[in-house]
Amino acid sequence: MGSSTPGSAPGRVSSRLGDFPWDSLTGHAERARAHPDAIVDLSVGTPVDPTPEVIRHALREAADAPGYPQTVGREDTRQACLEWLGGHGVTGLGLDQVIPVIGTKELVGSLALHLGVGPGDTVVFPELAYPTYAVGARLAGARPVATDGLTSLGPETPAMVWLNSPSNPTGRVLPVEHLRKVVDWCRERGVVLVSDECYLECAWEAEPISVLHPDVCGGSADGILAVHSLSKRSNLAGYRCGFVAGDRDLIGELLAVRKNLGLIMPTPQQVAMATALRDSEHALSQHQRYAQRRAALREALISAGFRIDHSEASLYLWATRDEDCWDTVSWLADRGILVAPGSFYGAAGGQHVRVAFTATDERVAAAVRRLGA
């Protein structure tokens, strides 16, 4: 709390982080809930389909876990992570280059601090981005900078650069050539590059590639970390399962910090995560469900006068009517549909809304009917 008086707002960490964006949707959410056929909440990309039985079975079988797990994670869990990455063309990583994390949001929010970024440093992330990148920079006392062009930094060398492909909120997929240029730029300057790849398997009209793929990084993980989540792929948001992989020294430093803080994924979740990563059948089935919901909502939005930009991957449609995003939020709320305003993700999103297609088939059908009325 520093030298401030206890209870005074200026000294609180939360005062550096800003308000939680979704709190500002409360009024629109109440109006959407008043719809006679109930709300269709498309504002948050939270899974709604059942956690696959193969994963729940693994969790139950591992439920007898009386001892403390290790922060580094079970060897079998880390091996499953490496095998899954191998299925996406990532090769050459060892077991000391991956650790499980308790859901990826805690990692994104704490990573800069845990890697020694601090006051006087700069953390760069995309112009349109998940708000937690900026939160993590502020938590560390660093300066957050939103830009899609590293040359705009001039002679300044940031401490950390975030990539996010496929993008939340836009669904944009960065091509190999772009990713390779960012890798080279960061390596030339000794900048830590972190790639948030949580939507790597949620692709519809493109083929995302990991920054750890040899076509991008040249077969070396030096200076690079990649972040992966099972929340969307496997309906495991409630389990808090993810992992980070890459540069051996960076992973080692993270491990040393996380040991001291007791940031440990519980053993049953580690077993469940390994099972999920090794089972592709459930992931393919879920992908098909999302593809159908995406197609239905996309057609309905276009028919209702929206334009869909990017959206070739992720679990969102980046939609616009070329008006202020809050006007669009209000228009949809009047129809019982709640979406996220694009301004949550940066000033460049001021005329877009993010429409998640993670609702149930029944709720998606309800949204389609209302958009067509």
Side-chain angles (χ1 to χ4, degrees), residues 297-314:
L297 280 170
R298 186 177 187 278
E299 182 178 349
L301 286 164
I302 292 172
S303 296
F306 286 80
R307 185 180 74 249
I308 308 299
D309 291 332
H310 300 303
S311 307
E312 57 263 31
S314 82

Side-chain angles (χ1 to χ4, degrees), residues 210-269:
S210 173
V211 75
L212 292 174
H213 191 287
D215 287 352
V216 176
C217 68
S220 167
D222 290 352
I224 301 172
L225 294 174
V227 181
H228 291 277
S229 168
L230 280 80
S231 294
K232 277 47 173 197
R233 173 192 184 270
S234 300
N235 297 330
L236 286 185
Y239 283 45
R240 311 312 300 134
C241 290
F243 67 90
V244 57
D247 183 288
R248 182 174 281 105
D249 290 339
L250 293 175
I251 291 293
E253 177 64 11
L254 275 178
L255 177 59
V257 173
R258 293 171 70 86
K259 279 181 181 179
N260 279 284
L261 296 176
L263 293 173
I264 309 170
M265 182 186 287
T267 298
Q269 274 91 329

